[in-house]
Amino acid sequence: MTDLRTGVRDDFAQVFGREPDGVWSAPGRVNLIGEHTDYNLGFVLPFAINRRTVAAVGVRDDRVLRVGSTFADELVEVSLDELTPEALSGWAAYPLGVAWSLGEFGADLAAVPGVDILIDSNVPVGAGLSSSAAIESAVSIALNEIWRLGLDRRTLARVGQRAENVAVGAPTGIMDQSASLLGERDAAVFLDCRSLESQIVPLGLEDAGLEILIIDTGVTHAHATGGYADRRRSCEEGARILGVEALRDVSVADLDRARELLDDVTFRRVRHIVTEDQRVLDTVRTLREEGPAAIGPLLDASHVSMRDDFEISVPELDLAVETAQANGAIGARMTGGGFGGSAIALVPSDAVSRVLVALDGAFAEHGFGQPDLFTVRASEGARRED
């Protein structure tokens, strides 16, 4: 973290010709379990990870917002007086969309100064670890402080979600921003996506001799296009036919009735959401009563549901999960929106090396590109760095 923080300060000075007024950071996240349940107003169990995005921010004496990054050459500029979702595009829609969205949640954008923002990150892009929410959360916590808005973190999560939904055009739920803003060390965030109430659930991985291994397949995905939006529409259609506000209101016991009312594809989409919600509740209970070593079967069942019912896995993700399971992982599943990205494996510390070697070999044997493999720890959420 020290290198990122120092580097972004130096880069800010080089790009903008002055020192920033501060540096803020926010983490990516891993969703332990609860995939696609968030926009169905259900339950999720993510945790913030020790991969972070940093934002160096300096106040201007005019009404201009300028944003740059270490991963894009262009410097994007827009006036606060012309800040609309339609004026934003590309990667800059994430940080600038947050500035616009803060106005939707009560900030008087006619009364705040412009800012310069420079962003750096070690959260992999397109890996299902929510690099986008890390940008949004770092910028929102920075502007909340600089503009003296006084918004709480739950509201900032809604700010980030609205930025992503409207300015970026990705129909995501609120899970990613909540994890990035509310995370705590060695703990997951149990979030009710209807009430937005959250509880911190200790993970206890280190004491149990377990690690979370990330298997980034290198297959990139984009939430604003393609299958993610299709799956959301299927869920909304299923809820409409079943006469409920959201699939959160359908229980496992209701699935027999749902099978009679829905076509096969819509039913399977609904079944994934309903059973995944139950798996989140079961995982929270198991962590509290038995500890992390007992949650493996729930992770495995989640992957099968995403592969077969929700149909959002890809061959690389299936291979990652199966290889990890066969070489000592307690449980494994794809994580994130699907159609690429990463899998996670819950692995005893003394088996990590064996799983790594097996994964490299399996991907090579199948002619896939080599995966990026690394372990993560549950980390604290967004914060001011200096």
Side-chain angles (χ1 to χ4, degrees):
M1 189 64 232
T2 300
D3 290 342
L4 266 183
R5 185 174 62 227
T6 302
V8 79
R9 273 192 163 275
D10 293 342
D11 290 337
F12 184 98
Q14 183 174 353
V15 171
F16 297 114
R18 62 192 175 99
E19 289 294 312
D21 292 308
V23 176
W24 291 259
S25 79
R29 66 95 187 94
V30 162
N31 191 19
L32 186 62
I33 198 162
E35 226 62 77
H36 287 259
T37 49
D38 57 347
Y39 57 79
N40 288 288
L41 304 185
F43 304 101
V44 292
L45 190 65
F47 61 88
I49 62 173
N50 55 327
R51 295 282 188 114
R52 302 183 77 89
T53 291
V54 291
V57 184
V59 179
R60 297 174 58 89
D61 59 6
D62 58 18
R63 300 275 297 153
V64 172
L65 303 175
R66 290 192 298 176
V67 60
S69 76
T70 60
F71 45 82
D73 292 333
E74 78 270 24
L75 192 64
V76 179
E77 181 176 312
V78 64
S79 168
L80 276 161
D81 300 314
E82 300 170 353
L83 185 62
T84 64
E86 295 74 26
L88 307 178
S89 62
W91 73 269
Y94 292 97
L96 294 176
V98 165
W100 165 80
S101 183
L102 284 166
E104 298 288 288
F105 284 84
D108 182 2
L109 296 186
V112 298
V115 293
D116 291 329
I117 304 172
L118 193 75
I119 292 169
D120 195 5
S121 182
N122 61 15
V123 183
V125 175
L129 303 179
S130 205
S131 57
S132 59
I135 292 174
E136 293 154 1
S137 299
V139 171
S140 69
I141 198 170
L143 294 181
N144 188 51
E145 181 175 338
I146 282 180
W147 286 346
R148 300 180 181 179
L149 302 179
L151 300 176
D152 63 31
R153 290 185 176 228
R154 287 177 174 79
T155 303
L156 293 180
R158 294 167 61 206
V159 166
Q161 181 197 14
R162 183 153 178 80
E164 190 145 349
N165 289 171
V166 180
V168 177
T172 54
I174 201 169
M175 171 183 68
D176 298 346
Q177 295 83 4
S178 295
S180 188
L181 285 155
L182 302 175
E184 293 188 11
R185 186 179 181 87
D186 195 28
V189 180
F190 175 38
L191 178 66
D192 180 332
C193 295
R194 169 172 280 158
S195 68
L196 301 186
E197 293 179 0
S198 63
Q199 300 175 31
I200 296 300
V201 179
L203 290 172
L205 295 175
E206 185 175 348
D207 289 345
L210 297 171
E211 298 193 43
I212 297 285
L213 173 65
I214 304 299
I215 308 160
D216 180 359
T217 65
V219 180
T220 58
H221 62 184
H223 281 173
T225 59
Y228 189 101
D230 290 341
R231 296 308 183 276
R232 182 162 186 163
R233 282 192 293 269
S234 289
C235 292
E236 291 168 351
E237 176 68 3
R240 184 190 66 79
I241 293 171
L242 294 173
V244 295
E245 178 194 4
L247 294 182
R248 151 73 172 273
D249 300 312
V250 181
S251 71
V252 173
D254 295 326
L255 287 175
D256 286 342
R257 172 177 171 270
R259 188 192 296 270
E260 296 174 358
L261 297 174
L262 304 173
D263 65 82
D264 177 65
V265 171
T266 306
F267 170 70
R268 287 188 289 112
R269 305 297 187 249
V270 167
R271 181 169 61 186
H272 165 70
I273 299 301
V274 172
T275 58
E276 187 80 345
D277 268 333
Q278 187 60 51
R279 281 187 288 270
V280 174
L281 299 176
D282 291 344
T283 300
V284 170
R285 176 185 52 76
T286 301
L287 283 168
R288 288 170 169 166
E289 295 178 0
E290 303 177 55
I295 68 171
L298 292 161
L299 303 182
D300 294 342
S302 176
H303 184 78
V304 171
S305 183
M306 289 185 287
R307 182 192 68 200
D308 297 346
D309 276 354
F310 223 56
E311 296 182 291
I312 55 173
S313 191
V314 295
E316 291 88 343
L317 287 169
D318 293 338
L319 179 65
V321 167
E322 292 160 9
T323 302
Q325 290 167 335
N327 287 275
I330 288 174
R333 62 185 287 271
M334 60 148 285
T335 189
F339 309 102
S342 297
I344 60 171
L346 182 62
V347 185
S349 298
D350 59 8
V352 170
S353 295
R354 181 167 75 251
V355 174
L356 295 178
V357 170
L359 286 164
D360 278 335
F363 272 64
E365 181 182 345
H366 284 75
F368 297 147
Q370 288 302 103
D372 187 15
L373 308 172
F374 54 94
T375 58
V376 293
R377 297 188 307 276
S379 176
E380 64 182 283
R383 65 194 182 210
R384 180 166 184 156
E385 295 290 342
D386 62 16

